Amino acid sequence: MLQRLQKIALLAAILLPAFCYAQGPYVSVDCPTASAGNPTPPANTVIASGGMSAAAGIPTTGQTHYGFIVTNPVSAGATLLGISDNGVYDFAGLPDGEYGFTGITYNNAELETVAGLVCALPTSFLVSTFGVDVATAEQIKVYICGSVTSPTPEPVTLTKLFGLLDLLADNPQTIDSVAVQLNTISGNALVTVCYATTVVPAYTITVGNVGVQGIDGFDQIAVLPTLATDQVTVRGNVTKAQNLQISISDMTGRRLATYTPQATVGNFSYDIPLSSQLPTGYLLLTISSSEGIYTTRFMRQ
């Protein structure tokens, strides 16, 4: 059953729309009448670059726990970014854009039951049923059940469940693909998993001055080459001295590296070595200072 889960989830990631906005709501097959309600957005849905969003109003629902699934801007594919228990999220280091918050209601005790079943299974069974290799199966066991050196794992939470789904996934997670996976788990006669989401998203948070990007006193910005292997170089003309922060993120907005050069008046050139720990594929490069922000992308091969 769980091997079929992976195949269905992967198929959903391919066939369902790449932008998961305006989808849902999704409801567990175990609890078809469950509802996530309609959360009240924060009073201020526009925040400064790198700021923290304010809490949302959480509706009363029939489940015991409520959280928010945070998704990336549509321009980055609207993949899952993280989980918030109260509608507050720290956007430090993430690119400007419109981020989605989707409400989800669930029962944490049911997640513990699912975890207990995983811990009761031998590694070989995980390999065959999840369709993963031995190393991944062992990762799953340690992640959920602990290890010899850390025999008491942290309590299972919605964040931890999504981490497990990430271990199983070949592609970045969207709410669409997660809903398929959760419903397949709910279809297992051994467990009951009640959950429901709002529409996707329930509300959005706009970070920074979207649509206008540039840095006052730093002109003719270029990031070269656009197809890089070992290094990229940031160049430009500085007419106003300023301290810069340059960050490299993956396309989910996860910050991977940060640099803090000083830009003095004149021609600016700053070389950034691409370590072996940076993934291949498209990466975002964000330059920011007190004078503005500039974001572009390049491909690391």
Side-chain angles (χ1 to χ4, degrees):
M1 183 277 295
L2 291 173
Q3 188 175 26
R4 188 175 80 252
L5 155 65
Q6 269 305 97
K7 293 178 180 177
I8 292 173
L10 183 58
L11 182 63
I14 296 172
L15 296 181
L16 289 173
F19 301 152
C20 66
Y21 278 32
Q23 302 289 321
Y26 298 104
V27 181
S28 166
V29 294
D30 280 340
C31 308
T33 61
S35 171
N38 187 25
T40 303
N44 184 10
T45 58
V46 179
I47 62 174
S49 299
M52 183 175 290
S53 65
I58 297 176
T60 301
T61 70
Q63 314 306 316
T64 57
H65 294 81
Y66 202 98
F68 292 90
I69 304 169
V70 185
T71 48
N72 274 327
V74 171
S75 60
T79 53
L80 267 63
L81 182 62
I83 301 293
S84 167
D85 291 329
N86 55 8
V88 174
Y89 199 80
D90 187 355
F91 290 94
L94 297 180
D96 288 358
E98 188 179 65
Y99 292 80
F101 282 68
T102 299
I104 181 169
T105 182
Y106 61 99
N107 297 321
N108 210 83
E110 295 170 353
L111 304 186
E112 293 280 4
T113 300
V114 173
L117 287 175
V118 171
C119 295
L121 299 173
T123 300
S124 59
F125 188 78
L126 292 179
V127 170
S128 61
T129 55
F130 280 83
V132 297
D133 57 30
V134 173
T136 301
E138 291 176 347
Q139 276 187 291
I140 293 170
K141 294 281 284 189
V142 171
Y143 184 74
I144 295 295
C145 313
S147 63
V148 174
T149 55
S150 301
T152 305
E154 296 178 0
V156 177
T157 60
L158 190 63
T159 301
K160 195 158 191 176
L161 174 63
F162 277 51
L164 171 62
L165 298 181
D166 281 341
L167 282 175
L168 293 170
D170 295 324
N171 294 325
Q173 294 281 309
T174 67
I175 294 180
D176 300 305
S177 59
V178 165
V180 171
Q181 296 182 65
L182 290 179
N183 257 353
T184 307
I185 293 173
S186 300
N188 189 327
L190 297 177
V191 295
T192 296
V193 177
C194 289
Y195 80 92
T197 75
T198 63
V199 295
V200 184
Y203 64 89
T204 59
I205 296 291
T206 299
V207 178
N209 191 11
V210 177
V212 178
Q213 67 168 12
I215 302 176
D216 185 29
F218 190 10
D219 306 318
Q220 303 172 25
I221 300 175
V223 177
L224 301 169
T226 55
L227 182 60
T229 302
D230 301 319
Q231 175 180 293
V232 292
T233 300
V234 178
R235 295 176 181 169
N237 179 50
V238 179
T239 58
K240 181 188 295 184
Q242 51 198 285
N243 295 321
L244 301 177
Q245 181 181 81
I246 301 175
S247 62
I248 295 177
S249 308
D250 62 20
M251 293 305 289
T252 70
R254 181 170 59 99
R255 184 165 52 180
L256 306 172
T258 302
Y259 311 88
T260 55
Q262 185 178 22
T264 57
V265 175
N267 291 327
F268 177 84
S269 181
Y270 186 75
D271 296 330
I272 300 175
L274 302 178
S275 73
S276 59
Q277 300 190 359
L278 290 176
T280 57
Y282 279 112
L283 296 172
L284 297 173
L285 188 145
T286 301
I287 308 168
S288 60
S289 76
S290 60
E291 305 299 329
I293 187 167
Y294 175 88
T295 301
T296 188
R297 71 178 186 174
F298 65 93
M299 176 174 280
R300 200 271 175 91
Q301 60 180 356

